Amino acid sequence: MKVKALSRPRSTTQRTSIHDLRQTHRNLDPASHPLPRAREYTRAVTAAKLDRMFANPFVGELTPGHVDAVNVLGVCRTNLCPVVSGGVDGTLRIWDLQNRRMVKSLEAHSRAVSGVVFGNGVEGFFYSCGEEGLIKGWCCFPRNMSISAASDSDESDSSSDEAD
């Protein structure tokens, strides 16, 4: 069995000084690169589309927003109206996207909110979890209520953390 290996002299791969650029070896043979014009055209069209897409990135502003950064965003699978955002400050905000206004702000967790997900069965019911180890359940529509469940490390504190 024959094995072919590329070998280049050391003088072509080593730099003479620290500030020299490393030499790159490219195959400029047109037979090795078919359709270079078509590939370049596709890249140019894609770049033009991206430029147009990112020219005006903001669709709308949701005010009053979170005081700190937004960590998570939860969207209901069946209805677009309740959108919930969770922030680093521990608050949850329920948004009405049609009117671009905040419906309710909840002081949910003492630390950052690390996850928000909507439930499958109940309409408007969602869960949030915080970095302190609590998972809380909330309901958007009739009245805001929460049900606390502690993680393994916070089982002793779960009775004192019962929600409103």
Side-chain angles (χ1 to χ4, degrees), residues 98-134:
Q98 292 173 342
N99 299 324
R100 294 184 183 169
R101 65 180 185 87
M102 183 179 63
V103 176
K104 184 79 174 169
S105 177
L106 305 167
E107 295 292 329
H109 298 279
S110 60
R111 294 176 61 190
V113 179
S114 58
V116 173
V117 66
F118 275 82
N120 287 335
V122 181
E123 185 70 27
F125 198 75
F126 66 95
Y127 301 95
S128 68
C129 61
E131 288 184 357
E132 74 271 5
L134 291 176

Side-chain angles (χ1 to χ4, degrees), residues 40-60:
E40 190 62 33
Y41 176 76
T42 304
R43 288 179 182 166
V45 168
T46 304
K49 285 180 183 177
L50 288 175
D51 284 345
R52 271 187 275 138
M53 191 169 66
F54 291 124
N56 193 2
F58 297 112
V59 176

Side-chain angles (χ1 to χ4, degrees), residues 21-149:
L21 297 175
R22 292 191 185 271
Q23 185 178 4
T24 58
H25 300 280
R26 297 187 313 163
N27 186 0
L28 300 176
D29 182 20
S32 299
H33 302 285
L35 307 169
R37 254 194 182 155
R39 189 180 315 122
E40 190 62 33
Y41 176 76
T42 304
R43 288 179 182 166
V45 168
T46 304
K49 285 180 183 177
L50 288 175
D51 284 345
R52 271 187 275 138
M53 191 169 66
F54 291 124
N56 193 2
F58 297 112
V59 176
E61 183 181 11
L62 298 174
T63 54
H66 286 273
V67 176
D68 211 341
V70 175
N71 249 5
V72 291
L73 191 69
V75 180
C76 185
R77 294 183 186 129
T78 58
N79 192 357
L80 282 178
C81 195
V83 173
V84 179
S85 61
V88 176
D89 56 351
T91 60
L92 289 173
R93 305 225 176 179
I94 303 171
W95 300 94
D96 179 13
L97 289 185
Q98 292 173 342
N99 299 324
R100 294 184 183 169
R101 65 180 185 87
M102 183 179 63
V103 176
K104 184 79 174 169
S105 177
L106 305 167
E107 295 292 329
H109 298 279
S110 60
R111 294 176 61 190
V113 179
S114 58
V116 173
V117 66
F118 275 82
N120 287 335
V122 181
E123 185 70 27
F125 198 75
F126 66 95
Y127 301 95
S128 68
C129 61
E131 288 184 357
E132 74 271 5
L134 291 176
I135 298 172
K136 295 184 178 183
W138 306 86
C139 188
C140 294
F141 296 125
R143 61 188 169 101
N144 291 336
M145 59 180 208
S146 76
I147 303 164
S148 294

